[in-house]
Amino acid sequence: MLRVDIVTIFPEYFREAFEHGIIRRARAAGLVEIKAHDLRSWTSDKHHVVDDRPFGGGDGMVLKPEPSFAAVESLAGARRREEIPIGKRVVLLSPQGKSLTQSLAAEFAGCKQLVLICGRYEGVDERVAEALATDEVSIGDYVLSGGEPAALVVIDATIRLIPGALGSETSATTESFSDGLLDYPHYTRPPELEGMKVPEVLLKGHHAEIARWRHETAMEKTKRNRPDLLKE
Ligand code: 6GU
């Protein structure tokens, strides 16, 4: 069982996010338990302030460190990265993080607990990344206004890799990225749509030919859309 704790200033953002499809099924099957927590509940001042002005000046506010340290202490039982037990990960979501990859999602899928701290684009006090989080993760080279959509992405990519979460046990290993290529093109009926035909080879049932076609088209599509995946 994987336990996922989200720490956010917008817990309501996640209200219906886990009630669909594979995530809903995985929860119902007891494979994962997910809870969104309000960062403000770990403040001690009357107005539950979670941000403050940046030292050194500049625009925007910075998320204060103390509520995040208190949150991780209560959720994971430690106030320093080195004290986070094996099998638990404390993930700070920020555009400065390492990229989320299929292999990182697979590591997360094998954990017993993930604590996801949603940053905000103006910034999070660096001591959270430096001393508290086991991982600082970004979902791509663009800027989101907060880490909340990124937390959803991490959770989705992770849960579908938990054994038993997918209907057909094979689908997670035959798709995009498991072999370093994009997925091959898929077709269903009708065999012709407004003059656009399904490739002949797929209609004939010659399995070796189909496998070869799928590898070739996956390769072409990767070259065209993601040449970076073919380098190194
Ligand atoms: Cl994890 N957070 C924010 N704010 N922006 C991002 C991101 C995360 N990943 C890509 N852009």
Side-chain angles (χ1 to χ4, degrees), residues 93-95 119-121 137-147 150:
L93 294 157
S94 103
R120 46 187 289 176
Y121 80 99
V137 170
S138 161
I139 62 162
D141 294 337
Y142 38 78
V143 179
L144 305 171
S145 48

Side-chain angles (χ1 to χ4, degrees), residues 1 21 24 29 32 46 52 57 67 80 84-86 106 111 117 121-123 144 149 188 213 220:
M1 152 75 90
R24 181 195 184 106
V32 62
K46 188 171 82 180
D52 204 344
R80 284 292 185 278
I84 306 291
I86 302 288
C111 288
I117 302 173
Y121 80 99
E122 297 95 332
L144 305 171
T188 185
W213 180 89
E220 282 165 19

Side-chain angles (χ1 to χ4, degrees), residues 78-128:
R79 292 183 66 85
R80 284 292 185 278
R81 176 180 27 253
E82 314 80 61
E83 294 160 8
I84 306 291
I86 302 288
K88 301 188 176 190
R89 304 283 278 264
V90 174
V91 179
L92 173 63
L93 294 157
S94 103
Q96 282 73 49
K98 61 188 172 185
S99 299
L100 179 65
T101 60
Q102 192 67 7
S103 77
L104 186 58
E107 283 183 36
F108 291 161
C111 288
K112 66 177 187 220
Q113 186 186 22
L114 296 180
V115 177
L116 302 178
I117 302 173
C118 300
R120 46 187 289 176
Y121 80 99
E122 297 95 332
V124 178
D125 186 285
E126 187 64 16
R127 287 165 288 194
V128 174

